[in-house]
């Protein structure tokens, strides 16, 4: 039972004399609160000093009402509502088990509140920046930037970072050097601008200011670029590779994305630097097996010093994927199309196994009677090259142009039958009708993906709902060489510039609920790695705080020289990895996609959330959570091994005759799991033989030679399928 406690106005006035000092000395104010009270009393209202002070303490002022958010701890048994009446509190959260409330307090009442006998302590809220400070430490990227445990700091210097995206503000301060003296954007190409759009000098880039998407208040690309390589440290929003050179390409379709990748690689080659390109983009039209034209071209473009990073997608929790393995006894898959109002549009892409086919029939279903009405009059369309049909829906919807269109093909790149289905309605079908698809086959598996809508079984027997498996998107999630990135949670809330707190409901350290899942239809694991993807604060265009912008409530800071805002998604996780790989390319400029995967397998963080993956990826986490520091250490070792191979050949030996041991270094790029070591005298007599398991080829093997008498020996190293040059060893 709480007690009410009231004071007279006379007593309240008395307690305010030297209140701040006495309250602080009595332990009733936190240091920051006491400092705030002092500065608040020493600055005059409506002055620049007062405004600067309020900003520093993250205190909002509305007209004459200046309020401070605070934790208020009460003595046991006191009711906070009486304090609310007395001091004008606005109580937000009550925590009875801790005798604590959070509340908005008039700034001028803080000290009197603290001196109230009911109050144990007042602690004003501290400024919180929703920044990469949360993401960088989790991935050990801060240590890479600082050079902790490394030969030097790695910040992407000498590396080209390309961003293919939409919504660039070219002149954002994040794209200058840390001290603001050097503009780091070297090339820009807005493919949406006919017959031009290429700006290749600082003057023309800065004069352009924005791409066409940013002029429409889009900010995605600016945010992505800031995560990868933002250099501004004034507000704590620094990116992962702040010294990288930047090339920006605004896309229009997937072919323009390919053009942009090539444009970035060409620029990097012209200046003799390695490059990594980020694609925080996706689509669900395509086979999702790495055989699309887009994926094939991307695979061909990548190589030594040419890396590509993509977002897995944000559909892990959506019912956009459907699949079935057919047999003669189980030959039918039926599913409804569940639209997302106010749009009643769906694009469905269906793919068979190699060499197989299927038939497809659109169905109108009467939910009252259970009747299935075949739009094709039971003459289902067989998916094969060059066939198509259009089915009018006017009789059911009333819309003159409402229709289902199906176009089928057999893709020459994979010999798979493909049906591309579009459903367009001007309004929802009237009750009791629903629209669905009936897919029939006797063998093989059919996969399908739905864009703009979902697959549903409506809980009816014989009808199948969609799922989030194999939900990685084309563009960023399906290529065979691209590094595909999922998202996990390092932060689950943020505070915007309007003083509003946004919470996304994700669980810290867990995979994000939306992060798309594998596997690919051809059995490959995706994603390859997981990185921080919620909630990351990065650069925004300065158009995003407009009343007409969808991003307005996501803006956390809008300084005149640079806006910043919060976003979440694998679109944010991918550029984090792009920045990490830029630092790795700085350490090893000829790094390949295959080497990246080897490093990820050996160094990714496995914890209670990922489980012990032990170098075997799964379809949620890939190899685990990115560890930028352990990864770059492995990359440095790879680079040193390559240099040693060029100098010494496939193996090298260092000797410590004080301990009578030698260290055997394997510099070969061939896979070695076991070797046999034999010692021979100059006369050819074998003096010893030992077999070693090779767990990590980057670590030297320690060999005891104390059993050998002093002399000159030939060291012979043998491994299956690999020839090593013999080495001379002198034992003293």
């Amino acid at each position: 039972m709480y007690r009410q406690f009231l004071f007279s106005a006379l007593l309240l006035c008395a307690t305010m004399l030297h209140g701040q000092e006495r309250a602080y000395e009595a332990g009733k104010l936190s240091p920051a609160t006491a400092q705030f009270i002092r500065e608040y009393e020493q600055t005059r209202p409506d002055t620049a000093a007062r405004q600067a002070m309020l900003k520093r303490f993250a205190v909002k002022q509305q007209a004459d009402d200046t309020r401070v958010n605070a934790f208020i701890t009460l003595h046991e048994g006191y009711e906070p509502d009486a304090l609310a009446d007395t001091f004008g509190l606005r109580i937000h959260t009550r925590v009875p088990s801790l005798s604590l409330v959070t509340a908005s307090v008039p700034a001028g009442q803080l000290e009197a509140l603290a001196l109230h006998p009911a109050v144990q302590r007042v602690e004003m809220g501290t400024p919180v920046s929703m920044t990469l400070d949360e993401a960088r430490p989790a991935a050990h990227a801060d240590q890479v930037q600082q050079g902790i445990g490394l030969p030097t700091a790695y910040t992407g210097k000498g590396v080209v970072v390309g961003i293919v995206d939409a919504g660039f503000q070219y002149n954002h301060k994040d794209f200058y050097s840390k001290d603001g003296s050097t503009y780091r954007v070297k090339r820009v190409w807005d493919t949406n601008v006919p017959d031009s759009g290429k700006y290749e000098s600082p003057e023309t880039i800065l004069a352009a200011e924005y791409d066409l998407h940013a002029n429409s208040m889009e900010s995605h690309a600016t945010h992505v670029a800031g995560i990868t390589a933002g250099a501004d440290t004034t507000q704590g929003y620094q990116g992962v590779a702040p010294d990288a050179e930047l090339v920006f390409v605004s896309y229009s379709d997937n072919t323009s994305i390919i053009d942009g990748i090539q444009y970035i690689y060409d620029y990097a080659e012209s200046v003799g630097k390695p490059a990594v390109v980020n694609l925080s983009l996706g689509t669900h039209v395509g086979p999702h097996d790495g055989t699309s034209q887009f994926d094939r071209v991307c695979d061909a473009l990548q190589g030594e010093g040419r890396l590509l990073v993509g977002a897995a997608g944000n559909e892990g929790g959506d019912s956009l994927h459907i699949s079935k393995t057919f047999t003669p006894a189980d030959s039918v898959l039926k599913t409804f199309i569940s639209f997302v109002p106010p749009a009643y549009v769906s694009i469905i892409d269906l793919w068979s196994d190699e060499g197989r086919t299927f038939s497809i029939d659109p169905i109108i279903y009467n939910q009252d009677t259970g009747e299935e009405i075949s739009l094709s009059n039971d003459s289902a369309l067989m998916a094969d090259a060059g066939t198509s049909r259009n089915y009018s829906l006017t009789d059911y919807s009333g819309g003159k142009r409402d229709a289902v269109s199906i176009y089928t093909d057999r893709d020459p790149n994979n010999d798979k039958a493909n049906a591309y289905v579009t459903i367009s309605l001007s309004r929802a079908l009237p009750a009791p009708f629903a629209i669905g698809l009936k897919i029939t086959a006797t063998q093989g598996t059919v996969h399908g993906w739905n864009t703009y809508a979902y697959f549903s079984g409506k809980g009816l027997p014989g009808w199948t709902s969609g799922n989030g498996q194999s939900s990685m998107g084309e563009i960023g999630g399906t290529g065979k060489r691209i590094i595909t990135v999922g998202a996990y949670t390092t932060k689950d809330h943020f505070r915007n510039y309007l003083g509003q707190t946004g919470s996304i409901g994700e669980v810290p350290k867990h995979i994000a609920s939306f992060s798309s899942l594998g596997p690919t239809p051809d059995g490959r694991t995706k994603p390859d790695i997981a990185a921080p993807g919620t909630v990351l604060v990065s650069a925004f265009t300065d158009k995003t705080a407009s009343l007409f912008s969808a991003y307005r409530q996501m803006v956390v800071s809008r300084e005149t020289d640079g806006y910043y805002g919060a976003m979440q998604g694998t679109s944010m996780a991918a550029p984090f990895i792009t920045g990490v790989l830029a630092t790795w390319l700085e350490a090893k400029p000829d790094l390949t996609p295959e080497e990246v995967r080897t490093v990820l397998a050996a160094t990714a963080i496995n914890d209670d959330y990922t489980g012990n993956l032990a170098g075997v990826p799964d379809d949620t986490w890939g190899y685990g959570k990115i560890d930028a520091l352990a990864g770059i250490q492995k990359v440095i070792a790879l680079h040193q091994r390559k240099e040693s191979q060029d100098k010494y050949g496939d193996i090298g030996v260092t000797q410590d005759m004080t301990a009578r041991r030698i260290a055997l270094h394997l510099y070969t790029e061939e896979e070695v799991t076991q070797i046999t070591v034999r010692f021979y005298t100059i006369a050819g007599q074998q003096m010893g033989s030992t077999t070693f398991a090779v767990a990590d080829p980057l670590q030297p093997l320690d060999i005891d030679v104390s059993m050998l008498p002093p002399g000159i020996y030939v060291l012979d190293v043998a491994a299956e399928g690999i020839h090593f040059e013999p080495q001379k060893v002198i034992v003293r």
Side-chain angles (χ1 to χ4, degrees):
M1 189 72 180
Y2 287 100
R3 289 185 293 166
Q4 301 287 343
F5 201 98
L6 298 174
F7 276 81
S8 68
L10 179 62
L11 182 56
L12 283 175
C13 290
T15 60
M16 293 180 67
L17 298 174
H18 307 294
Q20 179 256 318
E21 291 84 359
R22 287 193 289 122
Y24 183 53
E25 290 171 1
K28 303 190 76 174
L29 289 173
S30 70
T33 310
Q35 181 184 19
F36 171 81
I37 292 171
R38 188 191 69 212
E39 293 194 30
Y40 185 78
E41 292 175 344
Q42 290 177 348
T43 56
R44 297 191 307 275
D46 301 322
T47 63
R50 169 67 67 85
Q51 295 305 311
M53 184 273 298
L54 294 177
K55 178 181 176 181
R56 179 159 50 87
F57 283 94
V59 173
K60 301 299 181 183
Q61 184 178 36
Q62 295 181 342
D64 295 329
D65 187 18
T66 302
R67 288 183 163 267
V68 175
N69 290 325
F71 298 97
I72 304 170
T73 305
L74 304 176
H75 289 290
E76 187 175 352
Y78 285 91
E79 167 58 46
D81 288 335
L83 296 174
D85 294 338
T86 303
F87 298 103
L89 309 185
R90 296 173 185 165
I91 297 173
H92 299 146
T93 302
R94 301 168 188 257
V95 190
S97 62
L98 300 177
S99 298
L100 180 145
V101 298
T102 64
S104 170
V105 185
Q109 294 287 343
L110 277 170
E111 56 190 10
L113 173 65
L115 285 168
H116 195 291
V119 176
Q120 286 194 54
R121 186 171 172 84
V122 175
E123 181 174 341
M124 69 180 297
T126 56
V128 175
S129 297
M130 287 304 310
T131 73
L132 291 175
D133 287 346
E134 297 292 334
R136 289 197 311 266
H140 303 149
D142 272 346
Q143 292 165 282
V144 174
Q145 290 184 356
Q146 296 163 16
I148 296 174
L150 300 170
T152 186
Y154 291 89
T155 57
K157 190 172 184 179
V159 176
V160 175
V161 165
I163 308 292
V164 183
D165 214 299
F168 289 104
Q169 179 184 336
Y170 306 134
N171 61 1
H172 197 288
K173 67 176 180 179
D174 225 15
F175 306 143
Y176 287 79
S177 60
K178 181 179 178 181
D179 63 6
S181 63
T182 303
Y183 185 56
R184 295 182 295 125
V185 181
K186 304 301 181 182
R187 294 286 188 275
V188 160
W189 182 17
D190 188 345
T191 66
N192 298 283
V193 178
D195 302 321
S196 61
K198 287 186 178 179
Y199 312 106
E200 300 189 340
S201 70
E203 294 76 18
T204 56
I205 296 170
L206 291 170
E209 293 189 86
Y210 311 96
D211 70 358
L212 292 184
H213 290 279
N215 275 318
S216 298
M217 300 182 188
E218 178 58 67
S219 198
H220 191 271
T222 302
H223 195 270
V224 164
I227 292 171
T228 297
D232 174 33
T233 60
T234 60
Q235 299 185 59
Y237 308 142
Q238 183 176 357
V240 181
D243 286 329
E245 293 184 10
L246 295 167
V247 178
F248 296 155
V249 177
S250 301
Y251 75 96
S252 54
D253 57 19
N254 64 347
T255 59
S256 68
I257 296 170
I258 290 291
D259 296 340
I261 295 168
Q262 184 67 68
Y263 180 73
I264 294 161
Y265 286 157
D266 285 348
Y267 167 74
E269 183 177 359
S270 74
V271 294
K273 295 176 180 178
V276 55
V277 178
N278 186 86
L279 304 178
S280 288
L281 307 167
T283 178
H284 283 291
V285 175
H288 291 68
D289 61 2
T291 63
S292 69
Q293 294 287 45
F294 183 89
D295 282 345
R296 293 169 70 243
V297 173
C298 285
D299 286 348
L301 291 178
Q302 296 169 79
E304 291 188 358
R306 288 185 165 198
L307 305 179
L308 194 58
V309 177
N314 301 328
E315 292 84 33
D318 297 338
S319 301
L320 63 78
H321 168 258
I322 200 165
S323 65
K324 182 180 178 68
T325 299
F326 296 89
T327 67
D330 186 11
S331 61
V332 176
L333 168 65
K334 294 187 294 186
T335 186
F336 292 108
I337 308 305
S338 178
F339 297 99
V340 182
Y344 296 93
V345 176
S346 175
I347 297 176
I348 301 154
D349 208 27
L350 299 163
W351 293 81
S352 74
D353 281 344
E354 181 180 348
R356 307 297 186 190
T357 191
F358 58 91
S359 65
I360 181 170
D361 187 8
I363 297 291
I364 296 295
Y365 181 82
N366 187 318
Q367 298 178 82
D368 287 345
T369 66
E371 180 186 8
E372 296 178 13
I373 305 167
S374 167
L375 291 178
S376 65
N377 297 317
D378 295 318
S379 177
L381 177 65
M382 185 65 68
D384 213 332
T387 58
S388 66
R389 284 185 189 169
N390 292 287
Y391 307 91
S392 173
L393 296 172
T394 301
D395 291 345
Y396 300 96
S397 68
K400 292 183 179 180
R401 298 183 180 179
D402 294 355
V404 178
S405 297
I406 304 176
Y407 290 79
T408 74
D409 187 25
R410 182 165 294 279
D411 193 300
N413 291 329
N414 53 34
D415 194 27
K416 293 182 176 183
N418 171 221
Y420 180 80
V421 183
T422 62
I423 303 173
S424 178
L425 295 169
S426 55
R427 60 182 70 87
L429 290 181
F433 298 116
I435 189 166
L437 296 177
K438 179 180 177 181
I439 300 163
T440 305
T442 57
Q443 56 186 339
T445 300
V446 172
H447 288 270
W449 291 268
N450 203 334
T451 302
Y452 306 128
Y454 302 108
F455 297 114
S456 172
K458 294 187 181 293
L460 298 176
W463 292 81
T464 302
S465 291
N467 56 62
Q469 298 300 312
S470 300
S471 56
M472 65 285 136
E474 292 272 355
I475 306 298
T478 58
K480 295 179 179 178
R481 302 189 80 186
I482 194 171
I483 304 301
T484 301
V485 186
Y488 76 95
T489 302
T490 52
K491 197 76 174 179
D492 65 347
H493 63 279
F494 70 98
R495 188 174 179 85
N496 68 17
Y497 80 104
L498 298 168
Q500 302 163 330
T501 298
S503 179
I504 62 171
E506 297 290 339
V507 181
K509 300 183 181 179
H510 282 259
I511 198 73
S513 62
F514 54 76
S515 188
S516 285
L517 308 172
T520 62
D522 57 319
R524 288 176 293 122
T525 299
K526 287 288 184 176
D528 298 297
I529 194 69
T534 65
V535 173
L536 275 65
V537 173
S538 180
F540 263 20
T541 73
D542 55 17
K543 296 177 179 288
T544 52
S546 164
L547 285 171
F548 303 101
S549 171
Y551 293 99
R552 182 172 184 248
Q553 291 187 316
M554 297 152 67
V555 177
V556 301
S557 172
R558 53 173 192 167
E559 302 298 321
T560 55
D561 57 349
Y563 281 32
Y564 292 88
M567 286 191 190
Q568 66 168 343
T570 58
S571 280
M572 285 61 254
F576 192 95
I577 294 297
T578 299
V580 169
L581 295 190
T583 65
W584 292 7
L585 282 169
E586 183 182 357
K588 188 178 189 296
D590 61 352
L591 192 67
T592 67
E594 291 70 32
E595 288 175 325
V596 170
R597 280 194 177 82
T598 298
V599 172
L600 294 177
T603 65
I605 296 169
N606 287 183
D607 57 19
D608 292 341
Y609 304 93
T610 66
N612 184 20
L613 299 170
V616 179
D618 72 12
D619 290 311
T620 300
W621 291 97
Y623 290 107
K625 299 174 180 177
I626 185 66
D627 188 330
L629 178 61
I632 201 168
Q633 290 170 336
K634 184 72 72 173
V635 169
I636 292 168
L638 282 172
H639 186 58
Q640 292 172 339
R641 183 174 75 172
K642 181 65 166 59
E643 289 183 329
S644 296
Q645 183 186 36
D646 293 342
K647 186 174 182 181
Y648 301 112
D650 286 341
I651 59 175
V653 174
T654 55
Q655 303 181 190
D656 181 1
M657 286 301 105
T658 302
R660 294 181 67 78
R661 310 188 78 83
I662 66 172
L664 177 63
H665 303 265
L666 301 176
Y667 302 134
T668 179
E669 295 181 4
E670 301 288 336
E671 183 177 351
V672 181
T673 59
Q674 181 176 288
I675 63 170
T676 299
V677 176
R678 300 181 180 89
F679 290 92
Y680 295 90
T681 65
I682 296 299
Q685 179 184 2
Q686 182 175 323
M687 299 294 290
S689 177
T690 308
T691 298
F692 295 89
V694 181
D696 184 351
L698 298 181
Q699 298 298 318
L701 295 171
D702 181 53
I703 302 174
D704 183 2
V705 294
S706 61
M707 72 294 208
L708 296 175
I712 300 174
Y713 295 89
V714 175
L715 172 65
D716 179 71
V717 180
E720 184 176 356
I722 304 174
H723 173 73
F724 295 102
E725 290 295 325
Q727 302 289 308
K728 182 173 71 173
V729 176
I730 301 175
V731 178
R732 296 185 176 85

